[in-house]
């Protein structure tokens, strides 16, 4: 029994930030951004969720992916819930903005579609009119956060964890608590 916890196209993205933008703000992303085979479809799956609420797509970011991969390979689990990789407290270091994060763990193989489906299912807990959650909805909010334009993910098997087949996705810029996501 399995338990679960909680190739992009070439793109040209022009920032609307203007001349006051920080050096790390997305001005242009061009060429091909390729997800690793183990994560194939994770960007597109999240972009389907985003399109459903009228939010522009995410684009794969190699630097965010390298950061997520580095973290997931450390298999850190010292905080609750036990058996699931912890959030990376230093994920925003070196970026000009807060880096958002979603984590998924499975006792079976990592299935990127199942991870995105799990995060997206939290939409049922979110009320846009009041901008409140009943239960958990933070993973969903990060997926649909309109100012997030970059994504990078990593996956690794952490055998000592209950949900050791782990997936970490980093988002830039990450969502901000208390604001509307879109």
């Amino acid at each position: 029994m399995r338990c679960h916890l909680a190739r992009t196209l070439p793109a040209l993205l022009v920032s609307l930030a203007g001349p006051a933008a920080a050096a790390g703000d997305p001005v242009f992303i061009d060429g091909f951004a390729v997800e690793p085979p183990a994560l194939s479809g994770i960007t597109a799956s999240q972009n389907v969720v985003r399109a459903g609420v009228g939010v522009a797509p995410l684009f794969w970011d190699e630097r965010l992916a390298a950061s997520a991969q580095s973290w997931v390979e450390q298999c850190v689990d010292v905080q609750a819930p036990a058996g699931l990789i912890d959030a990376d407290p230093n994920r925003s270091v070196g970026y000009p903005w807060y880096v958002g994060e979603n984590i998924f763990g499975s006792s079976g193989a990592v299935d990127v579609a199942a991870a995105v489906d799990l995060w997206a299912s939290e939409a049922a807990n979110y009320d846009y009119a009041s901008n409140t959650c009943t239960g958990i909805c933070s993973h969903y909010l990060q997926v649909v956060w309109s100012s997030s334009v970059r994504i990078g993910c990593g996956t690794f098997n952490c055998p000592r964890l209950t949900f050791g087949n782990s997936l970490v996705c980093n988002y830039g810029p990450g969502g901000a608590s208390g604001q509307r996501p879109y």
Side-chain angles (χ1 to χ4, degrees), residues 3-181:
C3 293
H4 297 287
L5 287 178
R7 250 151 285 289
T8 61
L9 299 175
L12 178 63
L13 176 66
V14 180
S15 172
L16 302 176
D25 283 353
V27 175
F28 293 102
I29 300 173
D30 56 0
F32 290 92
V34 180
E35 301 165 338
L39 296 169
S40 182
I42 195 152
T43 306
S45 296
Q46 293 187 63
N47 284 339
V48 168
V49 178
R50 291 169 67 88
V53 294
V55 175
L58 294 165
F59 295 93
W60 188 257
D61 183 289
E62 291 295 330
R63 187 169 166 226
L64 287 171
S67 175
Q69 188 65 43
S70 175
W71 177 251
V72 75
E73 288 178 7
Q74 294 179 48
C75 299
V76 174
D77 178 25
V78 294
Q79 300 173 346
L84 180 67
I85 195 165
D86 292 342
D88 179 359
N90 298 312
R91 66 185 176 271
S92 298
V93 172
Y95 290 94
W97 23 256
Y98 169 74
V99 173
E101 178 181 65
N102 276 345
I103 297 174
F104 174 86
S106 175
S107 60
V110 167
D111 178 339
V112 297
V116 174
D117 287 348
L118 181 66
W119 298 334
S121 73
E122 294 177 6
N125 300 334
Y126 179 64
D127 177 58
Y128 185 84
S130 64
N131 194 34
T132 59
C133 296
T134 53
I136 297 172
C137 71
S138 58
H139 305 95
Y140 165 72
L141 293 177
Q142 181 55 76
V143 169
V144 299
W145 203 264
S146 64
S147 63
S148 294
V149 294
R150 302 175 183 204
I151 185 173
C153 306
T155 186
F156 194 70
N157 180 1
C158 300
R160 68 174 179 77
L161 302 181
T162 304
F163 303 101
N165 292 306
S166 302
L167 168 69
V168 173
C169 288
N170 287 341
Y171 302 81
S177 181
Q179 299 174 8
R180 289 190 191 277

